[in-house]
Amino acid sequence: TIEQLVNMLDLYSEHYTYGEFMALTNSIDQKNVGIGVVVEQVDEGVLIVNVIENGSAYEANLQAGEVITHVNGLSIKGYSIDDATSLIKGIVGTKVTLKIKKADGTFYTKTLTRKAFEVPVVMSSLLYGNIGYISFSSFSDNGAYEVKKAVTNLQQQGAKSFIIDLQNNTGGYVSTAQQLISLFPNTPLAYLEKQKNKVLKIKTLNLNYKLPGKSRILINWYSASASEMVAASVIDQKAATVYGEKSYGKGTVQGFYPLSDG
């Protein structure tokens, strides 16, 4: 079978149906269908950490700090984050009813219409000492451009140097990594590609901009794939200082090979 053939390849090779492939690319680009919230697991259900602007939760005035305890009348106490969010997500235009606990301990119920929304892949702030902090969560299709935009915005606020946070970033598109590496000074190369009989030097994809000052990059054990490509590249080319812990350790790159039936 196709699955058995794919299992003969490396750990990261997969066969996708059309729907699974779309779900994969949407996850890289942080595209979802649901109510437009970022959540984390708590004892009573899921805690709303952030409300995405223009999502249905935003329009219904749900607030960060509130806890979703029931979905369509079903208690999600003890549910994993994946199981809980799978109940909240769904098809565009369908409705979901939530029971929500407010910060003061009172409850209310809201029925929301599921909409398509995108979780921002870049979040930024100006830290003490004129340091710009940029958290980058996924190497989405336009992710490097979003980083560049955040850098220029922070520079206008007075940022003189930058921290690029790749903690928990599990990767995405290689081309985005090539673009992000190009933002660091003295980085003509993105990575070395080892093939069967040769090693190729792969160049960066220039965004016509360089980060000012001495930049820092943060990584952790969950930084994988494209995140590791960026970290290794700037270390080898002495373009930035990397802080954190040993990263995931994924040294291979996948390409997409479409089949005739999609």
Side-chain angles (χ1 to χ4, degrees):
T1 66
I2 292 176
E3 301 297 339
Q4 290 170 315
L5 288 170
V6 171
N7 286 341
M8 294 178 180
L9 303 175
D10 70 10
L11 177 65
Y12 306 103
S13 297
E14 295 280 354
H15 169 256
Y16 295 99
T17 65
Y18 177 76
E20 290 167 343
F21 174 73
M22 294 306 297
L24 172 69
T25 54
N26 284 342
S27 69
I28 294 172
D29 291 329
Q30 303 281 282
K31 294 179 180 178
N32 297 275
V33 173
I35 63 170
V37 291
V38 178
V39 296
E40 64 181 39
Q41 187 176 355
V42 292
D43 289 341
E44 296 174 276
V46 291
L47 172 70
I48 300 174
V49 177
N50 191 19
V51 180
I52 307 301
E53 191 170 348
N54 298 323
S56 53
Y58 178 85
E59 294 169 352
N61 202 33
L62 272 63
Q63 300 293 317
E66 296 178 338
V67 177
I68 300 172
T69 61
H70 293 71
V71 180
N72 291 329
L74 176 68
S75 171
I76 55 172
K77 182 177 182 178
Y79 274 49
S80 70
I81 195 73
D82 288 337
D83 289 342
T85 54
S86 68
L87 295 175
I88 298 170
K89 294 178 181 179
I91 300 170
V92 171
T94 59
K95 295 185 182 298
V96 59
T97 300
L98 307 176
K99 185 176 180 180
I100 301 163
K101 182 179 180 181
K102 298 172 70 172
D104 62 6
T106 60
F107 290 84
Y108 69 99
T109 300
K110 283 274 187 179
T111 299
L112 306 179
T113 301
R114 296 181 175 103
K115 297 172 59 177
F117 69 95
E118 294 185 28
V119 179
V121 298
V122 170
M123 299 181 70
S124 63
S125 60
L126 184 66
L127 306 182
Y128 178 79
N130 293 326
I131 298 170
Y133 169 82
I134 297 173
S135 174
F136 188 40
S137 61
S138 178
F139 284 77
S140 62
D141 191 37
N142 65 340
Y145 290 95
E146 292 296 318
V147 171
K148 178 182 174 182
K149 184 165 69 174
V151 168
T152 54
N153 286 339
L154 287 170
Q155 275 191 291
Q156 291 172 3
Q157 299 175 45
K160 304 296 184 185
S161 60
F162 288 86
I163 297 170
I164 309 297
D165 191 348
L166 300 180
Q167 294 179 104
N168 305 312
N169 185 325
T170 57
Y173 297 117
V174 172
S175 58
T176 303
Q178 291 174 262
Q179 292 169 336
L180 186 64
I181 294 166
S182 79
L183 295 177
F184 296 89
N186 306 314
T187 50
L189 298 178
Y191 59 94
L192 301 180
E193 182 178 307
K194 184 178 181 181
Q195 297 185 350
K196 185 175 182 180
N197 298 316
K198 58 185 175 182
V199 175
L200 302 178
K201 294 181 178 181
I202 308 300
K203 294 182 179 181
T204 53
L205 297 176
N206 198 352
L207 293 184
N208 298 313
Y209 182 85
K210 294 294 181 183
L211 287 161
K214 184 68 172 179
S215 297
R216 272 73 173 172
I217 291 177
L218 305 181
I219 61 170
N220 63 1
W221 191 87
Y222 297 101
S223 303
S225 194
S227 290
E228 296 176 294
M229 181 183 290
V230 171
S233 186
V234 300
I235 289 172
D236 285 351
Q237 298 178 96
K238 297 180 174 58
T241 303
V242 177
Y243 294 92
E245 59 186 353
K246 184 178 179 179
S247 58
Y248 184 79
K250 182 174 181 288
T252 56
V253 173
Q254 282 67 55
F256 294 125
Y257 298 92
L259 303 178
S260 60
D261 62 355

